[in-house]
Amino acid sequence: MDPKNIVDKDASFFGQPGGLQTLFFTEMWERMSYYGMRALLVLFMTATLQEGGIALTVASATAIYGLYTGAVYFMGLPGGWIADRLLGGQKATWYGGIIIMLGHIVLAIPSEAGFFIGMILVVLGTGLLKPNITAMVGQLYGPNDDRRDGGYTLYYMGINIGSIIGYFVTGYLQTNVGYHWGFGAAAVGMALGLIQYRLTLPKLKGVGAEPPKPLGPNGMKRSWMLIWALLAGLAVVTYLALNDVIIINPTVVAGNVAIIFTIIFFAYYLSIFLFGKLTRNEMKRLGALFLVCIASTCFWAGFEQAGSSFNLFARDLTDRMVGDFEIPTTWFQSLNSIFLVALSPFFAALWINLSKRMINPSYGFKSALGLIIMATGFIVMFFASQAAASGLKVAPYWLVAVYFIHTVGELCLSPVALSAVSKLSPKRMAGQLMGVFVLTYAMGNVIAGLLAGGLDPENPSAMPELYWTIFVFGVSVGAVVFVLALFTRKWEKLAEDDDHPGAVIDANEPVGKP
Ligand code: GLN
């Protein structure tokens, strides 16, 4: 065991290792910038030139939005690999943050070219930062440290505090001074995150300081050359697209991307099995993780209706008047983060209490539960959209209830799944597997966009059926995951390394067999 990965005596941040403070606040500011900017994105793209926007059609804007959110998470795959083999998590997070900040600075300059270049920079930077900062959280704990789930829940709370700040600050600036001020605020947020990261880096006590499985000097050189060549290719394509030499149709591209992401996810996972030189325990642990990934993908495909169809439902079909005050549409989305922050302490305490009583539900079980709870939120949407189909605007409580249910589901699945990735991945592949996991967000986001395409508020009578289908699908997959989790439960408990004696906890497994 790498001693750098065990900082288990330290409990200086709410009972968690002090390094969590560094990661918590960095990710908080990064998410402030991500969600703050994301909240303005579709509004900016569809606003007229006079309103300060770029006057795209709704179809193009939502397709670009889906591609952007999908790409942000997709890039976690190379980002995780770069940390494992070339840079280490600390540097990947640092450079990722700088690239994100530059992206927001470019976005703050009013120009259409700047807008697309800024988004590309945010995508590249987030790919470097997001999986690696998340993987480093897990490396703060020793293999048998019970605080891991609670630590991820706390970290997840930081994500959502950042989101709340983002929604309110950029939303305020956009309505009062203009879109580009909102984008500028996102750059300031990321800068604050970088400053505190730099200042509190020693708290990480060496976690992520080096790549866990560095390539040799030649491999490194070749990899960097390839990376620079790919970036140069991207720059050329961007230049040609901005000058209309090549025409990119975002709607067509978005349609194919979900399929490509899914193929890449399966191919990558399979290649880790085939070429990762895994021990038998590692294979079983990754088998258990695969189940969590399936639950996660289906979860986000439903949950991410928040930014699309729920958003439109809030705007067009919900009675947002409270007396003389009209609730702004974007406020509904921030309900998720507000509920999350409010409920997080209860969930952190719940997992700790359960583990003290030796009732430690498996990762698979918690994921299935999260997925099923999320899916039941769609029963509420079924009734809400039925009411809306009658022609009257519905009360805001419907969406409030849905967001509450979805947040409870999120707390059962999402932070727990992050903990699962960090616990079940071989250390030498920690970044890569977090990258593969973040790909489940990418798939979920793109599928969510495709589903939302069938949820047109102009035609609310079609909504109940689709919402009901999402409910049935979610509960069915959740039930299957639940049953399979009964089998993978004991795989989750296998020790990380079956190459050294006594490592196998499962008594039925012979020790040290390849
Ligand atoms: N809110 C979580 C985060 O930002 C999950 C995002 C997602 O779309 N999966 O980390």
Side-chain angles (χ1 to χ4, degrees), residues 153-209:
T153 305
L154 188 59
Y155 172 75
Y156 209 77
M157 195 167 159
I159 286 178
N160 284 278
I161 295 173
S163 314
I164 297 171
I165 302 173
Y167 286 128
F168 284 98
V169 171
T170 63
Y172 175 84
L173 288 171
Q174 177 248 316
T175 33
N176 290 291
V177 264
Y179 288 100
H180 295 283
W181 285 85
F183 297 141
V188 173
M190 191 64 250
L192 291 173
L194 283 166
I195 293 169
Q196 89 74 40
Y197 180 70
R198 203 69 197 173
L199 293 178
T200 60
L201 204 56
K203 285 182 187 286
L204 289 179
K205 300 185 181 165
V207 162

Side-chain angles (χ1 to χ4, degrees), residues 27 31 34-35 38 73 130 156 159-160 300 304 410 414 441 445:
E27 180 61 345
R31 291 284 99 179
Y34 174 71
Y35 284 109
R38 202 181 93 159
Y73 292 126
K130 179 81 172 157
Y156 209 77
I159 286 178
N160 284 278
W300 295 112
E304 286 292 345
E410 184 181 5
S414 189
Y441 297 176
N445 271 280

Side-chain angles (χ1 to χ4, degrees), residues 18 48 69 71 103 134 139 150 163 190 192 199 244 287 289 296 409 422 432 467 477 509:
T48 60
T69 51
T134 315
Q139 289 159 19
S163 314
M190 191 64 250
L192 291 173
L199 293 178
D244 293 333
L289 184 60
S296 172
S422 98
Q432 278 178 75
Y467 282 137
V477 178
E509 283 295 327

Side-chain angles (χ1 to χ4, degrees), residues 30 72 75-76 79 92-101 103 118-132 190:
E30 186 270 327
V72 153
M75 288 312 287
T93 299
W94 173 246
Y95 292 121
I98 292 175
I99 298 169
I100 292 171
M101 185 186 68
M119 279 205 297
I120 291 172
L121 288 172
V122 177
V123 164
L124 295 176
T126 314
L128 263 183
L129 181 142
K130 179 81 172 157
N132 296 313
M190 191 64 250

Side-chain angles (χ1 to χ4, degrees), residues 2-143:
D2 182 353
K4 278 196 298 263
N5 290 337
I6 304 175
V7 194
D8 47 3
K9 291 280 177 294
D10 179 0
S12 54
F13 186 61
F14 297 106
Q16 301 283 345
L20 188 61
Q21 181 191 326
T22 310
L23 305 175
F24 176 101
F25 285 110
T26 310
E27 180 61 345
M28 184 187 95
W29 285 116
E30 186 270 327
R31 291 284 99 179
M32 176 269 165
S33 71
Y34 174 71
Y35 284 109
M37 178 271 192
R38 202 181 93 159
L40 307 186
L41 204 52
V42 172
L43 301 175
F44 173 72
M45 286 191 282
T46 51
T48 60
L49 300 179
Q50 289 89 331
E51 290 163 346
I54 52 173
L56 295 183
T57 62
V58 170
S60 295
T62 49
I64 292 173
Y65 174 84
L67 280 174
Y68 170 72
T69 51
V72 153
Y73 292 126
F74 175 76
M75 288 312 287
L77 201 59
W81 185 89
I82 287 172
D84 285 352
R85 311 305 305 267
L86 302 175
L87 282 180
Q90 280 189 13
K91 284 202 187 105
T93 299
W94 173 246
Y95 292 121
I98 292 175
I99 298 169
I100 292 171
M101 185 186 68
L102 292 176
H104 289 304
I105 291 173
V106 175
L107 279 163
I109 304 164
S111 92
E112 193 173 332
F115 175 67
F116 288 103
I117 294 169
M119 279 205 297
I120 291 172
L121 288 172
V122 177
V123 164
L124 295 176
T126 314
L128 263 183
L129 181 142
K130 179 81 172 157
N132 296 313
I133 191 167
T134 315
M136 282 196 290
V137 171
Q139 289 159 19
L140 299 170
Y141 303 93

Side-chain angles (χ1 to χ4, degrees), residues 81 85-86 214-226:
W81 185 89
R85 311 305 305 267
L86 302 175
L215 287 175
N218 278 340
M220 287 237 181
K221 213 165 131 197
R222 271 201 299 272
S223 301
W224 281 118
M225 274 163 59
L226 181 67

